[in-house]
Amino acid sequence: MALAIEDYALVGDRGTAALVGRDGSVDWLCLPRFDSPACFAALLGDTDNGRWLLGPADLEDATVTRRYVGNSALLETTFTTSTGTMILLDVMPTGDGRADLVRRIIGVEGTVRVRHDWVVRYDYGRIRPWVSRHHDGDEETIVAVAGPDQVILRGPRLPVAVDGHHEDEFDVNAGDELVFSTTWTRSWRDIPPRIGYDDRIEATRLDGEEWVSSCVSGVPHRDKVVRSLLTLRLLTHDETGGIVAAPTTSLPEHFGGERNWDYRFCWLRDASLTLESLLAAGFTGEAEKWRTWLLRAIAGDPADMQIMYTVDGGRQLPERELGHLEGYAGSQPVRIGNGAASQRQTDVLGEVMIALHDARLSGIRETRDSWSLQRRLVDELADHWDEPDNGLWEIRGPLQHFTHSRVMVWVAFDRAIRGIEEFGLDGPVERWRRIRDDVHAEVLAKGFDTERGTFTQHYDTSHVDASLLNLPLVGFLPPDDPRILGTIAAIETDLMRDGFLLRYLTESGVDGLPGDEHPFLACSFWLVSAYAAAGRLDDAHALMDRLCALTNDVGLLSEEYDVTNARMAGNFPQAFSHLTLVQAALRLADATTRG
């Protein structure tokens, strides 16, 4: 059985990423890309679905501590047993165009008995490969091949085949150092040479340290902010610029239930919000790369724009279920692909336009193609803005006129207008102004409940939604407007569970799905930002402190948090949680400085 979600840590090479457990087991790895089929899939099944374990043979005798090495993606796990201490260093080297997972064992004190279990199963734990030993000079390797894929295991002592696993046990004494690596390549290619481990590990460490060296200072919980920024960077594909929502699929929002989704794709909304966070923290290089990705992904007719794409900008994300996997904590079905790709979510363009406007404010110049694309997208929205949609939360129930979606329509036109007014760009500004005013008036008339004094989830309900906390943050109304203050109060009353916010009330039936869910962490970070904007600084700091205390021992967050059982829920680590942490810290710092 897989570990608790919070017991995993992330290592990655900005092309893909692995989840490494506190027990030393790599239980999830898709190669060569985030959205490729997993070859280690024990996270969603059992050890026979693939994993790579290097850890104490008697884990119950071990005390485990973990940390990232400085401001890098190098994961260091220290195992202390009754007989000795050893360190396991996990790293996926960056910058060389390869796909390697390197694991270095260092004996620190005494002797530790180590268990090694290498189990490769392609196609999400379904396909057992042909495994053989190869010799190249004095080096022996184990090679696992199936279809287009092969992975190569290297190390000073290789495990032996036992019932479909490759297993070994050995002693690590003080002063010993053993380095193992798993490398992916296409099955028709020659086995790539071994990398220079010391050089590549050090280069990867320095890359992370240098990237955050000029990171924003003077923010609350700066260590959490820095780790969040590094995590967002790890979720950004270095070659294509695509930003994935999470490196996992089907970690459940409700344990034992069916709210299990594949997040290994590039949502325009999530990527835009990630970009806003990176820009606010002073990182502009990612903005230019993502804008180029966007131009490629949505090239063509604006009417064909999707809400999400594959890492390389592909449009085909068919959703299907994997019946051979039992699911995390028995949560079925396990899904790959995402059927929400075909949904209509009119809020998305608003987030895209905020990110691109922020890029302009950060000094990134528009190109002819980049502004032309924005014009065409906004003109397309002008013809369809008043249609119902699935909303921010990808509701699979009936389409609605969601208030948040309408506000983000207003944002799309507002940022386009500001591009003309503030940067001298061209466009039908008078038409856009009329539509912006019409949308604003409609939201105030239809999306506000005068009896309760709050904005509502959609035009035909009295329920609220945590996404409404964004209204003051995007400039729709001032943060101290009585209608905003009333909305904050209603959200606190209706959606607060054990000190944190739900997205909405699932019992309303709006999402068309059975089951419940736990507090959604991004929503509580939005509340921190709304508190700060409204001048409730004490409340903002208190909630921010509680939220940051939910990170695991290496500073990572999932999508949701089960307060009752003190455990994480949902895909992990979640870009949405980390980007809203960064935004909340920056807004809180700014509000504190102002007064």
Side-chain angles (χ1 to χ4, degrees):
M1 179 179 176
L3 303 176
I5 293 171
E6 58 270 19
D7 286 339
Y8 289 97
L10 184 75
V11 296
D13 60 5
R14 305 205 307 278
T16 189
L19 291 192
V20 185
R22 288 175 60 87
D23 58 353
S25 181
V26 179
D27 285 349
W28 182 256
L29 176 60
C30 301
L31 288 170
R33 220 170 64 174
F34 293 109
D35 52 359
S36 299
C39 61
F40 298 142
L43 180 71
L44 301 178
D46 58 32
T47 59
D48 285 333
N49 297 121
R51 68 155 179 183
W52 186 12
L53 171 69
L54 277 170
D58 184 3
L59 189 63
E60 293 184 359
D61 180 44
T63 300
V64 183
T65 59
R66 302 187 298 180
R67 70 181 186 104
Y68 284 109
V69 179
N71 292 322
S72 77
L74 277 63
L75 176 67
E76 186 179 276
T77 306
T78 300
F79 297 100
T80 301
T81 71
S82 59
T83 59
T85 300
M86 77 172 211
I87 291 174
L88 173 64
L89 181 72
D90 284 296
V91 58
M92 296 188 73
T94 60
D96 55 11
R98 293 172 51 125
D100 298 283
L101 174 56
V102 179
R103 317 194 74 188
R104 172 184 281 164
I105 294 174
I106 302 169
V108 176
E109 183 179 45
T111 300
V112 178
R113 186 72 174 170
V114 172
R115 182 182 176 199
H116 189 183
D117 187 25
W118 191 73
V119 189
V120 176
R121 296 290 186 269
Y122 292 114
D123 196 22
Y124 302 98
R126 188 175 67 89
I127 300 298
R128 182 170 169 173
W130 180 263
V131 183
S132 58
R133 289 180 180 256
H134 288 232
H135 294 270
D136 183 8
D138 61 353
E139 183 184 44
E140 183 181 34
T141 59
I142 297 178
V143 180
V145 177
D149 300 297
Q150 68 175 340
V151 294
I152 301 98
L153 176 65
R154 287 184 166 95
R157 55 177 296 155
L158 296 177
V160 297
V162 180
D163 296 330
H165 293 224
H166 278 73
E167 300 177 349
D168 190 18
E169 281 197 14
F170 54 90
D171 289 332
V172 173
N173 301 307
D176 288 349
E177 183 174 306
L178 300 87
V179 182
F180 298 87
S181 67
T182 290
T183 303
W184 173 91
T185 188
R186 290 298 181 191
S187 59
W188 54 85
R189 293 179 179 162
D190 293 336
I191 295 175
R194 183 174 61 186
I195 63 172
Y197 295 126
D198 291 343
D199 292 344
R200 295 307 309 141
I201 290 172
E202 180 63 9
T204 301
R205 184 190 69 80
L206 289 174
D207 176 63
E209 295 280 5
E210 292 171 0
W211 187 76
V212 298
S213 61
S214 59
C215 180
V216 62
S217 59
V219 295
H221 300 282
R222 185 178 185 274
D223 59 330
K224 307 295 186 185
V225 171
V226 169
R227 182 50 53 190
S228 291
L229 289 167
L230 287 164
T231 301
L232 294 173
R233 189 188 189 213
L234 281 181
L235 298 179
T236 303
H237 194 273
D238 189 51
E239 181 180 5
T240 69
I243 304 171
V244 298
T248 56
T249 180
S250 300
L251 290 180
E253 298 170 9
H254 178 66
F255 295 103
E258 64 179 63
R259 294 172 181 261
N260 318 313
W261 315 108
D262 193 347
Y263 279 14
R264 299 169 301 138
F265 306 113
C266 303
W267 271 255
L268 294 186
R269 176 194 308 108
D270 295 47
S272 299
L273 288 164
T274 297
L275 200 62
E276 293 167 37
S277 298
L278 292 170
L279 285 168
F283 300 101
T284 58
E286 286 71 14
E288 294 191 70
K289 182 174 286 189
W290 179 79
R291 187 176 68 180
T292 302
W293 176 89
L294 177 69
L295 288 168
R296 294 194 309 270
I298 64 178
D301 190 338
D304 295 330
M305 185 181 79
Q306 297 183 178
I307 66 164
M308 75 178 84
Y309 298 83
T310 61
V311 169
D312 61 3
R315 295 170 178 262
Q316 298 301 315
L317 295 84
E319 182 175 302
R320 63 188 179 93
E321 299 176 1
L322 301 182
H324 67 277
L325 291 172
E326 65 185 29
Y328 183 89
S331 305
Q332 295 182 330
V334 172
R335 295 181 173 95
I336 58 171
N338 200 304
S342 61
Q343 286 188 354
R344 177 174 179 79
Q345 298 177 21
T346 51
D347 71 291
V348 168
L349 185 56
E351 292 295 357
V352 170
M353 294 301 290
I354 288 177
L356 294 175
H357 184 70
D358 287 352
R360 290 191 290 268
L361 293 173
S362 297
I364 298 175
R365 297 176 63 86
E366 293 287 2
T367 66
R368 181 185 62 184
D369 287 341
S370 66
W371 177 246
S372 175
L373 171 67
Q374 292 169 68
R375 276 196 57 172
R376 293 179 64 192
L377 291 172
V378 174
D379 280 337
E380 169 68 20
L381 181 63
D383 295 331
H384 303 284
W385 68 266
D386 56 351
E387 296 176 2
D389 76 328
N390 298 93
L392 166 73
W393 305 125
E394 300 176 355
I395 299 302
R396 298 196 175 199
L399 301 184
Q400 303 286 352
H401 296 282
F402 288 101
T403 304
H404 172 264
S405 293
R406 280 294 198 277
V407 169
M408 296 310 294
V409 167
W410 176 89
V411 167
F413 288 105
D414 179 73
R415 299 313 190 265
I417 292 164
R418 291 175 62 183
I420 294 172
E421 294 175 342
E422 299 173 18
F423 293 90
L425 301 170
D426 64 304
V429 67
E430 292 303 326
R431 183 192 185 206
W432 290 352
R433 284 176 180 147
R434 286 195 300 272
I435 296 174
R436 180 180 65 177
D437 293 344
D438 289 345
V439 176
H440 199 275
E442 183 194 274
V443 171
L444 296 181
K446 297 182 178 181
F448 187 76
D449 184 337
T450 55
E451 291 186 9
R452 293 194 68 197
T454 179
F455 285 96
T456 58
Q457 182 181 45
H458 58 80
Y459 289 175
D460 297 314
T461 186
S462 60
H463 291 294
V464 294
D465 187 301
S467 65
L468 300 169
L469 293 167
N470 285 288
L471 271 61
L473 306 180
V474 300
F476 185 79
L477 285 176
D480 59 354
D481 186 289
R483 291 164 292 189
I484 295 297
L485 300 180
T487 301
I488 293 173
I491 288 171
E492 290 173 314
T493 299
D494 292 4
L495 301 183
M496 192 72 76
R497 178 185 289 180
D498 299 318
F500 303 104
L501 288 183
L502 302 171
R503 295 187 294 177
Y504 52 86
L505 296 177
T506 56
E507 56 262 37
S508 71
V510 67
D511 62 13
L513 293 168
D516 199 2
E517 62 180 33
H518 302 287
F520 194 88
L521 295 177
C523 297
S524 292
F525 284 118
W526 283 339
L527 184 57
V528 171
S529 294
Y531 280 158
R536 294 173 58 178
L537 295 183
D538 289 344
D539 291 333
H541 278 289
L543 180 54
M544 188 71 176
D545 291 346
R546 296 201 309 274
L547 283 164
C548 287
L550 299 182
T551 62
N552 73 354
D553 56 329
V554 290
L556 301 181
L557 289 168
S558 62
E559 182 179 34
E560 299 182 0
Y561 193 79
D562 177 357
V563 181
T564 301
N565 296 295
R567 61 180 180 176
M568 295 185 179
N571 282 306
F572 172 87
Q574 173 75 358
F576 214 168
S577 299
H578 284 284
L579 69 90
T580 49
L581 183 156
V582 173
Q583 291 176 336
L586 293 171
R587 287 167 175 152
L588 187 50
D590 181 62
T592 302
T593 300
R594 287 187 285 105

